[in-house]
Amino acid sequence: MRILSGIQPSGFLHLGNFFGMMQRGIRWQEKGETFFFIADFHALTSVGDPDALRRNIREAALAFLACGLDPKRAVFFRQSAVPEVLELTWLLSTVTPVGLLERCHSYKDKLAKGIAPTHALFAYPVLMAADILLYQADLVPVGVDQKQHLEVTRDLAVKFNQTFGPVFVVPKEDIAENVAIIPGIDGQKMSKSYGNTLELFGDREEFRRRVMSIRTDSTPVDQPKPVAGSVLVSLYRLVSEPQELEEFIAAMRRGGVGYAALKKELLSKLERFLAPFRERYEELKAKPGLVEEILEEGACTARAAAAPTLESARRAVGLL
Ligand code: AQP
């Protein structure tokens, strides 16, 4: 079984990326043939500063490796190092109804956030379909925000196969309900472009400040606190033992503990959880050239895997 997933270097990686995709994707290393990529072509739709993009790419690669991606088991590469993906995007575009792209929530959300309505942003799901179909992936671990894009990928694979013959594996999504949407400090989906993230490897003081500014209601210290819909509980659940979670929830229900104390308790569990990853991150960061070497080697393997698919697709449409 081949498992593939990607991450955009559109900013620093955060807890939502970790629990929504990275952690689950990395677990597949033990069981299948895994491909992970840094989606730098995709990031061009939102990052306009070349230096920022270069920095983000390196940071995303470091973060993924620090979180446990093992380049000996997984193929790890930059999307743009396999330019075949762009040719496949074009071939898939020929079977992509405009209406299908017009219905994509992510496009509408990004416009609402003030991102310019470029063709690249509009065509993003076609490139994403090419990312997946090029490697004949069976399974794609993602957060729920990518569900619709996965449906587009499946639609395009089926339509292409029906029109030109069986070229593509039709992939399945791998979404885990308990981590489908990790909330950010304001309660919305944690997202690089919402400015509401808890970064995995960012400045520690800023991390503390952000945890302490997580949105809560104004229940007084002595009163019981609502548990349903609480961002504190949603995040605490991810990084604590069941017994600790029970005690945290019991303290909220009892009252007598203020939000500041609850946030400090959450902070300590987050720090505990992230400590080994942060240590590994610092080690990797200190090794010049290592990340670049890993990505280059991954790109060679990825290109070799991509070539036969592209050839089949070219042949199917009549280009060979
Ligand atoms: N809050 C989240 N909860 C669960 N999963 C999430 N993912 C992202 N945020 C959450 C999952 O992480 C993977 C990589 O995401 P991405 O960086 O490629 O793009 P994204 O989903 O658009 O992430 P952001 O942070 O929201 O980026 P921007 O702001 O640039 O759009 C995906 O599998 C995603 O589901």
Side-chain angles (χ1 to χ4, degrees):
M1 164 132 80
R2 188 169 281 181
I3 300 103
L4 172 141
S5 201
I7 201 143
Q8 284 192 78
S10 49
F12 293 106
L13 303 194
H14 52 76
L15 284 174
N17 296 137
F18 180 83
F19 288 105
M21 189 280 272
M22 294 159 79
Q23 186 189 46
R24 290 180 312 108
I26 285 168
R27 282 188 191 138
W28 279 107
Q29 285 179 160
E30 315 293 326
K31 299 174 242 166
E33 199 188 355
T34 38
F35 281 61
F36 297 112
F37 63 95
I38 308 288
D40 48 2
F41 277 145
H42 281 295
L44 284 173
T45 60
S46 59
V47 183
D49 173 351
D51 287 333
L53 183 62
R54 273 188 279 272
R55 183 202 61 204
N56 291 350
I57 290 169
R58 185 176 155 73
E59 283 295 326
L62 273 171
F64 226 136
L65 291 164
C67 288
L69 186 153
D70 178 357
K72 292 199 179 69
R73 289 171 191 259
V75 182
F76 188 37
F77 60 102
R78 285 167 63 152
Q79 182 187 31
S80 65
V82 188
E84 287 82 352
V85 76
L86 296 181
E87 184 173 345
L88 185 58
T89 302
W90 183 254
L91 301 187
L92 292 172
S93 294
T94 64
V95 294
T96 306
V98 168
L100 188 67
L101 300 182
E102 280 172 342
R103 286 195 290 279
C104 286
H105 308 303
S106 158
Y107 177 67
K108 293 184 224 166
D109 292 349
K110 294 215 157 149
L111 294 201
K113 277 189 246 160
I115 296 178
T118 59
H119 174 259
L121 193 64
F122 184 65
Y124 185 115
V126 190
L127 176 56
M128 180 163 155
D131 287 329
I132 297 166
L133 302 180
L134 185 59
Y135 302 101
Q136 305 285 11
D138 301 287
L139 199 68
V140 186
V142 283
V144 80
D145 57 326
Q146 295 295 338
K147 189 178 167 63
Q148 193 182 29
H149 288 162
L150 250 299
E151 280 158 14
V152 171
T153 300
R154 291 169 57 81
D155 283 357
L156 297 187
V158 168
K159 186 137 181 233
F160 190 99
N161 287 349
Q162 278 170 353
T163 312
F164 299 111
V167 171
F168 300 118
V169 168
V170 181
K172 290 198 174 68
E173 71 206 20
D174 170 29
I175 296 177
E177 283 315 312
N178 59 333
V179 288
I181 305 181
I182 308 300
I185 58 172
D186 57 356
Q188 293 187 79
K189 180 204 137 183
M190 190 178 289
S191 190
K192 299 179 206 91
S193 46
Y194 290 177
N196 65 355
T197 62
L198 292 173
E199 291 173 4
L200 298 168
F201 303 109
D203 178 73
R204 297 284 286 279
E205 179 48 31
E206 174 63 10
F207 187 83
R208 189 200 65 81
R209 201 190 58 73
R210 283 178 158 253
V211 172
M212 296 310 290
S213 64
I214 287 173
R215 191 210 64 192
T216 47
D217 60 21
S218 51
T219 311
V221 175
D222 57 320
Q223 299 290 311
K225 316 281 180 300
V227 169
S230 161
V231 177
L232 296 182
V233 174
S234 300
L235 296 177
Y236 196 86
R237 190 186 298 281
L238 300 170
V239 290
S240 59
E241 301 298 328
Q243 175 68 25
E244 293 167 338
L245 178 63
E246 245 175 64
E247 284 165 18
F248 189 77
I249 290 177
M252 286 182 75
R253 291 213 167 108
R254 230 181 4 253
V257 184
Y259 279 124
L262 292 165
K263 287 176 185 177
K264 277 193 192 139
E265 165 60 11
L266 169 64
L267 177 64
S268 80
K269 294 297 181 286
L270 284 167
E271 300 272 18
R272 180 184 73 181
F273 181 83
L274 290 174
F277 302 119
R278 286 171 168 168
E279 200 176 309
R280 176 104 183 100
Y281 174 87
E282 293 304 329
E283 282 167 18
L284 289 164
K285 204 172 175 177
K287 295 185 180 162
L290 178 70
V291 169
E292 292 72 14
E293 217 175 278
I294 290 171
L295 291 175
E296 267 172 41
E297 204 174 301
C300 287
T301 314
R303 281 194 92 167
T309 312
L310 188 60
E311 188 177 320
S312 304
R314 290 178 123 229
R315 196 177 297 283
V317 298
L319 290 175
L320 284 182

